[in-house]
């Protein structure tokens, strides 16, 4: 009697299992995509990874999207083995602002807001004025990351500090915390082309901007990942002010010239901004000595030293 | 003299009154302010924070200074209710409920104004889902929620005996209010066991709320003091904020005391003696706040570090000098001068001093937040001229004023529904006094 009950229970379970499987099978085959295109019969010749010519039906070809969309987790983790660094040579800057224009254009920034700024600096009345471009310092002790309540801005293993504008709540604590004032806020709905506005947002490109969230220089991380190109500010500068590179490879380049990072910093007495704050920036400056251009060559008609001389 | 104050008379004196003509006008004005504020907030939601005067340098404006003001004034709940109770200050009874409802309404609007300031208010829950405990903002969220819950309990528990009286008064009627009273306090039967538990709970809450009150305003000060900026980078900030908070809270209470006393003819309950004593307390608190102001400004001014100099100059002799000296004079020095004198501690001068304290304190909060942001470490370059100044837009003013009106509306409606001076406690106290005389 006991045995019989046992058997019937097993039978019942097996039947249930089969029914479940049948239910799974009843719809579309889960292993074939639903939108399987119909073969057109028109064949296209392609080179396979093994170097053989193969023929594929035209219907099965899918265009690769322009921007490879990496996952949020990948964007937050960073590129393994890298330690990105920027060197800015103040002796070469004449406030041409090509860096600003290129950056604004490529990041589709709101008119009047910039990730790159060029400051007229003068330490003391008797010392020489000079031009100082600033970008996000990508600090190793980033005050902005420390204060963020929702982990929207984060530090990656390759040293880059980014913002996830799908996470940012817009409290602007990071802007108050940043001593370099490099962060900007999307005060209104960004005026973007539909093609850009509809892109999947990616912390590495910072595009598309979103209303009510913070933005800043991202070291053009998506370009490093996708094409290995130098950031836009670096390539846009005709004077080679910006040098971008990797500390692990100990190399920085402005496109035309390439330097050993450690030698460059030692030989030219490189320094970082506001070292005393302990933020450990990843942007190094070379002092404005033996300058290529006189300071005055960078003044526009509406800029005069009076506006700047009093600032630190 | 106390013998004429029978429980019946006390009850009928202190029962909440329907609005008179002035009450209706007052409530209508507050509602109008709130509605304009709501409309401005609708515009802000639609067009973004660009409708405000804030830009990349001044990224925190009057929303944040208003938030600091609300948090500050809410500390009075813990001062009058908790500190006075634990110190056995016998004359506190008529002031406890006034101060507790100020605390609750202020902390509610502190929370609301922070949401208003957020660029993405719809992501508020991210603070729970992705919250980072390392961020001072999370500390603030946690302590403000805690303070709100404790303050609500400190308002509710002592209200229970009075709700029973209200239920008795409205028993025959079938109005919304009578149902509301029953929903709130039908379980309260004044049984000795209930009274014992309630008293114990109130004492426990009074002990708990003091560290929480210190925490909310200290953490609020740390939102600024954890940054590097000149004017905020100060180890004095916690104490500076706390002392200022007790001052503005005490100022707020005397203003409310005076208005309620006038509006409901409570001269026999909120007496001249109360104003005399609150006047003394304000002198003490204003002197304390002045002391922390000296600490805050004298040492950096003595050194005049380059990064601090332009900020300090803008406060003392520059763009913000008029507001700065106005705030110092009206929130501290003039109230002290009024209230140290004997005639100055009569109800009307105390009320005027209280109004000055509150107004001065609002501008003081503005001066804590905004001028610092206009003096960053690096020059303000490559930006439009409008980025280098800050003046709130009409939407910001409307929302800020709407929030202040909203807080006052909560207090007004509360006084319409509940006795603003505790009835049961007053009866018990007079009864006790009477028996002592026998």
């Amino acid at each position: 009697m006991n045995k019989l009950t046992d058997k019937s229970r097993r039978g019942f379970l097996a039947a249930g299992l089969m029914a479940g499987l049948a239910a799974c099978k009843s719809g579309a085959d889960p292993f074939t995509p639903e939108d399987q295109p119909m073969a057109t019969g028109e064949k296209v010749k392609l080179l396979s990874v093994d170097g053989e010519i193969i023929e594929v039906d035209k219907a099965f070809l899918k265009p690769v999207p322009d921007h490879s969309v990496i996952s949020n987790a990948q964007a937050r983790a960073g590129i393994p083995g890298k330690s990105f660094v920027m060197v800015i040579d103040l002796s070469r800057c004449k406030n041409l602002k090509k860096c600003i224009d290129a950056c604004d254009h490529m990041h589709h920034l709101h008119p009047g807001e910039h990730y790159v700024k060029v400051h007229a600096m003068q330490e003391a009345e008797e010392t020489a004025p000079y031009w100082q471009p600033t970008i996000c310092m990508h600090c190793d002790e980033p005050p902005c990351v420390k204060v963020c309540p929702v982990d929207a801005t984060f530090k990656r293993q390759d040293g880059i500090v980014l913002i996830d504008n799908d996470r940012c709540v817009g409290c602007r604590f990071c802007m108050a915390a940043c001593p370099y004032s490099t962060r900007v806020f999307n005060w209104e709905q960004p005026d973007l082309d539909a093609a850009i506005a509809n892109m999947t947002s990616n912390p590495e490109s910072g595009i598309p901007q979103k209303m009510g969230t913070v933005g800043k220089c991202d070291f053009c991380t998506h370009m490093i990942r996708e094409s290995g190109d130098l950031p836009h500010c670096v390539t846009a500068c005709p004077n080679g002010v910006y040098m971008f590179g990797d500390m692990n490879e100990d190399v920085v380049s402005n496109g035309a010239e390439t330097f050993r990072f450690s030698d460059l910093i030692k030989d030219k007495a490189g320094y970082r901004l506001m070292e005393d704050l302990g933020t450990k920036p990843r942007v190094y400056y070379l002092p404005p000595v033996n300058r290529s251009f006189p300071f005055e060559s960078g003044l526009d008609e509406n800029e005069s030293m009076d506006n700047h001389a009093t600032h630190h | 003299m106390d013998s004429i104050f029978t429980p019946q008379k006390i009850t009928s004196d202190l029962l909440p009154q329907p609005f008179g003509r002035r009450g209706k006008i007052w409530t209508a004005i507050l509602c109008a302010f709130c509605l304009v504020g709501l409309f401005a907030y609708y515009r802000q939601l639609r067009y973004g924070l660009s409708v405000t005067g804030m830009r990349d340098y001044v990224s925190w404006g009057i929303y944040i200074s208003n938030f600091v003001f609300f948090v500050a004034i809410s500390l009075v709940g813990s001062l009058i209710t908790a500190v006075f109770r634990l110190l056995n200050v016998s004359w506190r009874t008529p002031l406890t409920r006034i101060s507790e409802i100020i605390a609750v309404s202020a902390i509610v609007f502190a929370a609301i104004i922070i949401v208003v300031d957020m660029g993405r208010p719809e992501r508020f829950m991210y603070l729970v889902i992705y919250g980072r405990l390392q961020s001072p903002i999370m500390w603030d969220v946690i302590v403000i929620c805690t303070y709100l819950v404790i303050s609500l309990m400190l308002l509710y528990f002592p209200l229970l005996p009075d709700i029973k009286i209200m239920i008795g008064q409205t028993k025959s009627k079938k109005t919304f209010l009578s149902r509301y009273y029953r929903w709130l306090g039908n379980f309260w039967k004044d049984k000795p066991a209930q009274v014992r538990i309630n008293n114990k709970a109130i004492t426990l809450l009074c002990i708990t709320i003091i560290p929480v009150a210190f925490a909310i305003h200290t953490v609020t000060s740390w939102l600024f003091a954890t940054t590097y900026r000149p004017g905020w980078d100060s180890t004095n900030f916690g104490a500076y904020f706390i002392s200022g908070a007790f001052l503005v809270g005490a100022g707020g209470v005397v203003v409310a005391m005076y208005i309620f006393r006038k509006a409901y003819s409570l001269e026999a309950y909120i007496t001249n003696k109360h104003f005399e004593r609150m006047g003394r307390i304000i002198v003490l608190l204003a002197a304390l706040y002045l002391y922390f102001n000296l600490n805050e400004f004298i040492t950096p001014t003595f050194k005049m570090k380059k990064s601090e100099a332009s900020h300090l100059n803008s406060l003392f002799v520059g763009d913000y000098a008029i507001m700065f000296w106005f705030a110092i004079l009206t929130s501290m020095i003039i109230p002290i001068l009024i209230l140290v004198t004997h005639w100055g501690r009569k109800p009307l001068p105390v009320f005027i001093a209280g109004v000055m304290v509150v107004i001065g304190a609002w501008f003081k909060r503005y001066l804590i937040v905004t001028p610092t942001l206009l003096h960053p470490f690096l020059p303000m370059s490559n930006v439009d001229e409008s980025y280098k100044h800050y003046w709130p837009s009409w939407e910001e003013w409307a929302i800020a004023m709407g929030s202040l009106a909203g807080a006052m509306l909560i207090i007004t409606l509360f006084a319409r529904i509940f006795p603003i001076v505790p009835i049961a406690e007053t009866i018990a106290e007079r009864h006790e006094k009477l028996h002592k005389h026998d």
Side-chain angles (χ1 to χ4, degrees), chain B residues 310-331:
Chain B
S310 60
H311 169 64
L312 291 170
N313 280 325
S314 81
L315 292 180
F316 297 155
V317 291
D319 292 349
Y320 289 101
I322 292 172
M323 198 191 283
F324 179 79
W325 295 112
F326 170 82
I328 297 276
L329 282 173
T330 51
S331 75

Side-chain angles (χ1 to χ4, degrees), chain A residues 97-115:
Chain A
K97 301 196 183 93
K98 300 279 183 207
C99 48
I100 299 182
D101 295 341
C103 175
D104 291 355
H105 179 69
M106 298 313 291
H107 288 99
H108 306 277
L109 293 189
H110 185 273
E113 284 190 333
H114 317 285
Y115 291 168

Side-chain angles (χ1 to χ4, degrees), chain A residues 86 230-231 234 242-246 251-259:
Chain A
M86 183 80 89
L230 290 166
V234 178
Y242 296 89
M243 285 158 271
F244 184 75
D246 179 4
V251 65
V252 288
S253 169
N254 58 16
E257 305 154 280
T258 301
F259 301 93

Side-chain angles (χ1 to χ4, degrees), chain A residues 231-247:
Chain A
H232 294 296
C233 51
V234 178
T235 49
C237 179
N239 300 323
V241 171
Y242 296 89
M243 285 158 271
F244 184 75
D246 179 4
M247 272 171 118

Side-chain angles (χ1 to χ4, degrees), chain A residues 97 113-114 117-119 123 145-149 165 167-173 175-176 185 187 211, chain B residues 48-50 54-56 59-60 117 119-120 123 126 130-132 135 137 223 228-229 306 379 381-382:
Chain A
K97 301 196 183 93
E113 284 190 333
H114 317 285
K117 290 183 186 119
V118 184
H119 304 292
E123 302 304 325
V145 171
K146 265 192 196 170
V147 300
C148 180
N165 64 17
R167 177 73 65 83
C168 178
V169 296
C171 69
R172 310 192 291 293
F173 198 1
M175 300 178 76
F185 190 71
W187 298 97
M211 179 166 91
Chain B
L49 282 163
S50 62
M54 291 186 278
R55 291 297 176 260
D56 290 345
S59 52
W60 283 347
D117 188 70
R120 304 295 294 227
R123 294 182 183 170
Y126 284 11
Y130 303 113
R132 278 179 79 243
S135 167
I137 285 195
L223 296 182
Y228 299 99
R229 290 177 186 263
K306 201 173 173 184
S381 309
N382 310 120

Side-chain angles (χ1 to χ4, degrees), chain A residues 75-94:
Chain A
R76 282 171 175 270
I79 303 169
K82 295 286 181 186
S83 179
F84 295 112
V85 66
M86 183 80 89
V87 180
I88 296 178
D89 187 349
L90 298 177
S91 69
R92 298 176 176 205
C93 181
K94 62 174 284 191

